[in-house]
Amino acid sequence: HDFYIKNTDDNDLLLKNVMSNCECTIVDFEKKPIKEDDSVRIVVKFKPEVVGIVEKNVVVEANTVPPFTVLTLKGNVKK
């Protein structure tokens, strides 16, 4: 899944880290300043370990208030 984060402030947005809460979730993002009105893409790949309802979180750390934002993936994994 791709998440897009837009900078709506006049200061540069700096993504410091993007972390997942399990090894089954892989994240990729560019670590560069995001200028006002620009966006950055965070790519999240999920490799399910179980069948059924799943919910996984990805935490984005940035120079924002608050500094952490949680992105949630929810789905139903079928065999």
Side-chain angles (χ1 to χ4, degrees):
H1 185 75
D2 294 347
F3 290 95
Y4 290 89
I5 307 233
K6 182 176 182 178
N7 183 5
T8 58
D9 193 49
D10 55 355
N11 295 311
D12 286 356
L13 175 62
L14 303 171
L15 299 185
K16 297 176 183 177
N17 201 2
V18 180
M19 306 157 280
S20 66
N21 62 347
C22 86
E23 292 180 11
C24 62
T25 308
I26 300 163
V27 297
D28 186 36
F29 70 102
E30 284 190 65
K31 232 180 183 178
K32 65 175 187 175
I34 300 115
K35 301 290 184 193
E36 181 180 11
D37 292 325
D38 284 346
S39 296
V40 65
R41 179 176 72 159
I42 298 173
V43 179
V44 180
K45 295 181 182 178
F46 174 64
K47 297 183 185 250
E49 298 171 339
V50 297
V51 174
I53 303 295
V54 293
E55 181 174 320
K56 299 296 176 186
N57 294 321
V58 173
V59 178
V60 178
E61 181 183 6
N63 62 331
T64 57
V65 177
F68 298 100
T69 301
V70 178
L71 307 174
T72 303
L73 291 171
K74 294 180 183 181
N76 187 0
V77 177
K78 296 185 179 185
K79 204 170 190 184

